[in-house]
Amino acid sequence: TREVNLDYAKAVSNYAESGLESSLNVGAFDERLEKDKKGRFKIGTVRNGYGWRTADVVAKNSPGEWVRDAFVKELRGAGCNVASDGKIEVSGTVRKLFTDILFNYDADVTLRISLKDGENVFYDDLFEGEAAPIAWFASSGEYGNASRQALQDVMRKAVPAIISEIRKYEGKNEKK
């Protein structure tokens, strides 16, 4: 078994300013992932030279908290005001987080992301990211790196979409 510490070191967003008036609250991200007998989230598989599955890869920490932390860093990196009492909540579900291996890692992350103002959900969409770095040692660190790259791929798609949807929402509410 490989135990992976999921971390998200720095934002990949490179926006100067989001231009959003609303402050954002990054809420919880539920995990809809398989668990092993010890209750750890299975996030990958180890294979031998013949391609046979030999062990699980499990997360040492919560994938939902990992995604939440990534969103806080990305949205702040995009110039958004992120606060625990923010007007608009960004939350969702980790639908898939899995890394397989043969010669390359095949990392996939799928998130369902919702935006809501109070109880009003005004945006809900599914985002998928993937990464395929070369597998050298099949180490825990390499599995973590592949997972992080797949999440960064999601962020490159999701953060601009989120900012765009909030701008539209703010524009509609200004007209009222």
Side-chain angles (χ1 to χ4, degrees):
T1 301
R2 303 282 192 279
E3 294 182 348
V4 174
N5 183 36
L6 298 170
D7 68 339
Y8 200 84
K10 63 179 186 167
V12 294
S13 301
N14 56 359
Y15 314 104
E17 282 297 319
S18 66
L20 298 180
E21 295 176 17
S22 302
S23 61
L24 307 179
N25 169 24
V26 180
F29 278 80
D30 301 324
E31 299 116 337
R32 301 258 170 95
L33 306 171
E34 186 180 353
K35 292 184 178 180
D36 70 2
K37 293 175 186 172
K38 295 180 180 178
R40 301 173 297 185
F41 290 102
K42 287 185 183 181
I43 62 166
T45 192
V46 178
R47 296 184 184 276
N48 66 14
Y50 297 106
W52 298 338
R53 188 191 157 291
T54 58
D56 290 326
V57 178
V58 297
K60 286 184 178 180
N61 50 331
S62 162
E65 284 297 314
W66 176 59
V67 169
R68 183 189 178 285
D69 178 56
F71 265 109
V72 168
K73 288 176 180 173
E74 290 294 340
L75 291 168
R76 284 186 176 146
C80 298
N81 178 17
V82 178
S84 60
D85 62 346
K87 179 180 186 243
I88 294 175
E89 180 179 275
V90 179
S91 60
T93 305
V94 181
R95 302 287 297 264
K96 183 177 184 182
L97 166 57
F98 199 81
T99 301
D100 205 346
I101 185 175
L102 200 47
F103 299 108
N104 287 355
Y105 291 98
D106 181 13
D108 294 303
V109 174
T110 303
L111 305 177
R112 166 150 256 123
I113 300 170
S114 299
L115 299 176
K116 63 182 178 178
D117 184 359
E119 294 301 313
N120 175 33
V121 175
F122 63 91
Y123 179 73
D124 184 68
D125 206 353
L126 200 64
F127 291 89
E128 298 176 356
E130 50 190 31
I134 294 174
W136 295 105
F137 305 109
S139 67
S140 296
E142 285 185 353
Y143 276 95
N145 182 51
S147 298
R148 183 175 43 258
Q149 286 180 28
L151 182 57
Q152 288 171 334
D153 189 39
V154 169
M155 293 297 168
R156 285 183 189 97
K157 300 168 191 172
V159 171
I162 287 168
I163 290 171
S164 174
E165 289 300 319
I166 293 172
R167 280 186 188 139
K168 288 180 201 173
Y169 183 74
E170 287 176 340
K172 287 179 186 175
N173 287 338
E174 281 180 8
K175 295 175 185 175
K176 290 182 181 177

